[in-house]
């Protein structure tokens, strides 16, 4: 395979910007592709916070769009890597405080359709080498709805690059009132139910799902699930129609960031061969959270967005039973305001059993991974999930529901001591969750059996190199799919 030029398009990339797993993926996969000798450029919006975190920014191109706002492309390097990043700089759209998608009030920015149309237009110019950067990609790899319009805008253009669209979460679709389609002056031929129209609205994700040469999602199980009405979010029909173009590629873990052997956020490092450091991290976590320091008491960790997807309602229903047992729970998350409040109130009632931090803290997430004994992820659906993969490497046995990427990465204890890496339950009910936790807590009382599972878990290898090789194959398939450019006359 000859090296390819790949334009990787994402709305967040760690460490410049991260709100969830997409940030982790976009912060790691481009470098993994580069390690396989590909020529990769990453493009994302020039958010104010990202600009602050980036070193050494230079102007790469001027005024891509004349009116009403000039859009520039800035160039920097993704910190901690050698990946070139292009930042789409449009001050009215991206130079503001707060989250990439929501304002300080927690609601979506009202101008999101405009912001991500401007982004898609700039990416399209880059993809066609019309930004004066003398670089023309073979493949444009788009991710989630924020870059969904790119394959649509490129579709049908002579000499266009091949397009790949990755679904990280089908539930987030970028749906807006039809007027935005016209206000953003999108090409009229895209407006139909076979295009980006979705029951009378504009759907950004359909731009990717309908027009990309190849589609994938982030685990084989979720790739099958989304073709069913239960998980298809009203797009299962379209996905079934394109099933021959759809596959699942499991996310990887960036072990240069997530490994207890060298994790800079930990007070003590450890490995499968020497787990003493894990006990020290547990004591440190108990101290940090004000929980009684006790080596014997199992600690359950949970880090994630407080959203229905993550099964937080199951956790809440199971908590009364859990709080009556000799276990400690440490939770870090943010999201739904009502869930946040309920959790905070419970934590005040049970200060010796439950610690809740509402907010986003990369450091604390690492310390929970290292200090907890068990990691809870009872998601109702989970395209891939990264925290359970990190937990495996930290010897923090995951308790997960059998869905999406969780089903593909965790092997239940009942599979025997050779293969087992955690605890898996099927039914989305608090009873099933408690049953899995009871099995986990019973095993915790058998230190030799527990160590065995920890060793299995820590030996799992979900490095990005494997996933990156699968993406390369997908790129090749997208290139063979693309209609040949017209012959010059
Ligand atoms: P999702 O992308 O659906 O949120 P993933 O498991 O794929 O779920 O990835 C979530 C990523 O975001 C992980 O790296 C996780 O540690 C991080 N994360 C989620 N919530 C928080 C938080 N409140 N503080 C710090 N990190 C968080
Ligand atoms: C999404 C999914 C999560 C996945 C992440 C990265 O946010 O919810 O399961 O791991 O994207 O692909």
């Amino acid at each position: 395979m000859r090296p390819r030029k790949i334009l990787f398009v994402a709305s967040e990339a760690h460490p410049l910007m991260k709100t969830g797993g997409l940030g982790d993926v976009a912060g790691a996969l481009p470098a993994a592709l580069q390690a396989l000798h590909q020529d990769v450029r990453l493009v994302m919006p020039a958010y104010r916070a990202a600009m602050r975190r980036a070193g050494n920014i230079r102007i790469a191109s001027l005024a891509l769009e004349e009116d009403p706002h000039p859009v520039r492309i800035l160039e920097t390097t993704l910190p901690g890597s050698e990946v070139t990043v292009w930042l789409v700089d449009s001050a009215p759209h991206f130079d503001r405080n707060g989250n990439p998608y929501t304002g300080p009030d927690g609601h979506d920015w009202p101008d999101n359709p405009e912001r991500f149309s401007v982004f898609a237009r700039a990416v399209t110019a880059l993809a066609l080498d019309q930004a004066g950067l003398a670089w023309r990609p073979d493949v444009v790899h788009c991710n989630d709805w924020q870059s969904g319009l790119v394959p649509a805008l490129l579709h049908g253009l002579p000499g266009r690059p091949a397009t790949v669209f990755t679904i990280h979460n089908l539930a987030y679709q970028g749906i807006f009132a039809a007027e935005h389609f016209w206000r953003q002056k999108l090409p009229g031929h895209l407006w139909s139910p076979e295009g980006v129209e979705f029951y009378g609205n504009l759907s950004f994700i359909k731009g990717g799902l309908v027009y990309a040469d190849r589609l994938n999602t982030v685990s084989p199980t979720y790739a099958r699930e989304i073709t069913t009405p239960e998980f298809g979010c009203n797009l299962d029909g379209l996905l079934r129609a394109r099933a021959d173009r759809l596959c699942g590629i499991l996310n990887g873990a960036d072990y240069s960031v997530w490994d207890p052997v060298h994790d800079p956020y930990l007070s003590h490092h450890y490995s499968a061969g020497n787990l003493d450091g894990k006990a020290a991290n547990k004591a440190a976590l108990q101290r940090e959270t004000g929980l009684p320091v006790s080596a014997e008491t199992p600690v359950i960790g949970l880090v994630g967005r407080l959203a229905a997807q993550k099964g937080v309602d199951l956790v809440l229903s199971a908590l009364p039973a859990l709080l009556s047992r000799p276990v400690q729970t440490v939770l870090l998350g943010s999201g739904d305001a009502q869930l946040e409040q309920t959790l905070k109130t419970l934590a005040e009632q049970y200060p010796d059993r439950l610690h809740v931090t509402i907010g986003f803290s990369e450091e604390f997430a690492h310390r929970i991974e290292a200090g907890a004994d068990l990691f809870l992820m009872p998601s109702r659906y989970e395209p891939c999930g990264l925290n359970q993969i990190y937990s495996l490497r930290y010897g923090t046995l995951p308790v997960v529901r059998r869905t999406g990427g969780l089903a593909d990465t965790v092997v239940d204890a009942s599979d025997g001591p050779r293969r087992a890496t955690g605890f898996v339950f099927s039914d989305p009910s608090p009873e099933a969750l408690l049953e899995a936790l009871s099995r986990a807590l019973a095993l915790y009382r058998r230190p030799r059996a527990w160590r065995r599972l920890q060793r299995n878990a820590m030996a799992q290898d979900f490095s990005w190199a494997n996933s990156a090789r699968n993406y390369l194959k997908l790129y090749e398939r997208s290139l063979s799919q693309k209609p040949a450019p017209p012959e010059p006359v």
Side-chain angles (χ1 to χ4, degrees):
M1 254 188 264
R2 68 184 173 87
R4 295 294 187 184
K5 291 194 175 69
I6 300 150
L7 183 61
F8 194 95
V9 190
S11 55
E12 52 183 89
H14 180 75
L16 293 180
M17 177 53 75
K18 167 172 163 180
T19 69
L22 174 60
D24 285 351
V25 172
L29 177 54
L33 290 163
Q34 205 176 47
L36 297 176
H37 313 294
Q38 309 301 304
D39 181 0
V40 191
R41 314 288 157 103
L42 170 66
V43 56
M44 63 180 276
Y47 305 112
R48 180 177 290 175
M51 297 283 284
R52 277 203 214 109
R53 288 175 198 137
N56 236 338
I57 301 175
R58 64 176 199 87
I59 296 168
S61 94
L62 279 170
L64 277 184
E65 296 229 342
E66 337 60 70
D67 81 313
H69 315 288
V71 176
R72 299 185 304 181
I73 304 293
L74 308 176
E75 185 172 304
T76 185
T77 305
L78 191 69
S81 78
E82 284 166 22
V83 175
T84 298
V85 183
W86 285 328
L87 297 161
V88 174
D89 179 31
S90 172
H93 299 110
F94 303 120
D95 185 19
R96 50 177 85 165
N97 288 329
N99 182 292
Y101 320 119
T102 54
D105 58 0
H107 292 113
D108 288 353
W109 292 111
D111 58 349
N112 273 348
E114 181 174 317
R115 296 169 74 228
F116 291 105
S117 297
V118 166
F119 180 56
R121 279 221 171 74
V123 172
T124 304
L126 285 169
L128 296 170
D129 194 15
Q130 290 170 351
L133 300 183
W135 189 86
R136 177 182 282 268
D138 300 305
V139 180
V140 180
H141 181 171
C142 300
N143 294 273
D144 272 357
W145 73 263
Q146 295 86 353
S147 50
L149 290 182
V150 176
L153 291 172
L154 286 170
H155 184 75
L157 299 183
R160 71 165 172 90
T163 51
V164 168
F165 184 77
T166 301
I167 304 160
H168 294 266
N169 195 333
L170 192 62
Y172 297 85
Q173 301 182 354
I175 307 273
F176 305 101
E179 68 197 59
H180 291 288
F181 179 89
W182 308 108
R183 217 183 282 158
Q184 297 316 314
K185 302 194 176 65
L186 295 170
H189 68 271
L190 298 179
W191 187 253
S192 84
E194 288 74 41
V196 298
E197 182 188 342
F198 189 56
Y199 299 105
N201 288 317
L202 163 63
S203 162
F204 273 52
I205 200 170
K206 277 190 76 189
L209 300 185
V210 172
Y211 294 104
D213 297 310
R214 282 278 164 174
L215 305 174
N216 83 299
T217 183
V218 285
S219 69
T221 295
Y222 192 62
R224 284 190 297 276
E225 288 173 339
I226 55 177
T227 61
T228 67
E230 188 187 351
F231 293 95
C233 304
N234 295 322
L235 288 164
D236 46 294
L238 169 57
L239 290 167
R240 279 195 299 279
R242 299 209 72 201
D244 60 331
R245 310 289 174 98
L246 170 68
C247 70
I249 300 178
L250 207 58
N251 282 335
D254 185 348
Y255 293 126
S256 72
V257 176
W258 292 96
D259 192 324
V261 170
H262 51 237
D263 187 328
Y265 300 122
L266 305 189
S267 52
H268 298 84
H269 291 138
Y270 64 94
S271 62
N274 179 3
L275 282 162
D276 294 349
K278 183 155 180 67
N281 280 294
K282 176 171 171 176
L285 180 66
Q286 288 169 322
R287 268 194 299 277
E288 179 177 358
T289 52
L291 293 167
V293 177
S294 153
E296 298 77 45
T297 310
V299 174
I300 302 171
L302 199 157
V303 178
R305 290 184 290 113
L306 299 178
Q309 172 192 349
K310 301 292 175 184
V312 193
D313 59 317
L314 299 179
V315 178
L316 278 176
S317 307
L319 262 180
L322 199 59
L323 290 166
S324 69
R325 309 180 70 162
V327 296
Q328 298 173 347
T329 303
V330 176
L331 186 148
L332 165 66
S334 62
D336 183 280
Q338 205 173 340
L339 289 174
E340 289 182 355
Q341 193 48 51
T342 312
L343 285 162
K344 272 198 292 202
T345 309
L346 269 169
E348 279 157 21
Q349 284 165 4
Y350 296 91
D352 285 356
R353 292 280 160 91
L354 174 64
H355 170 88
V356 171
T357 292
I358 300 297
F360 195 94
S361 163
E362 188 75 20
E363 293 91 326
F364 193 35
H366 283 246
R367 290 199 294 272
I368 293 176
E369 286 288 4
D373 298 296
L374 286 161
F375 194 92
L376 187 54
M377 228 164 143
S379 308
R380 289 185 172 270
Y381 73 93
E382 195 60 75
C384 179
L386 291 167
N387 274 120
Q388 84 282 10
I389 300 180
Y390 303 151
S391 302
L392 291 168
R393 182 49 65 101
Y394 283 71
T396 305
L397 301 184
V399 179
V400 303
R401 201 167 93 69
R402 186 173 284 109
T403 184
L406 300 174
D408 293 341
T409 51
V410 181
V411 180
D412 186 66
S414 63
D415 274 36
R418 279 166 176 275
R419 297 186 59 241
T421 57
F423 305 89
V424 187
F425 65 98
S426 296
D427 196 27
S429 69
E431 293 76 27
L433 164 61
L434 283 166
E435 191 270 336
L437 272 175
S438 297
R439 290 195 290 127
L441 297 173
L443 200 86
Y444 184 76
R445 302 277 161 233
R446 295 170 45 208
R448 281 190 53 202
W450 185 262
R451 290 267 147 136
R452 181 70 205 257
L453 250 65
Q454 277 186 310
R455 275 202 302 276
N456 290 351
M458 294 175 88
Q460 298 300 306
D461 184 2
F462 289 100
S463 319
W464 268 111
N466 292 331
S467 309
R469 273 190 282 274
N470 286 324
Y471 275 103
L472 282 191
K473 288 186 201 143
L474 184 64
Y475 298 156
E476 290 305 315
R477 286 201 294 271
S478 72
L479 281 157
S480 60
Q481 209 104 56
K482 197 181 63 134
E487 294 294 325
V489 223

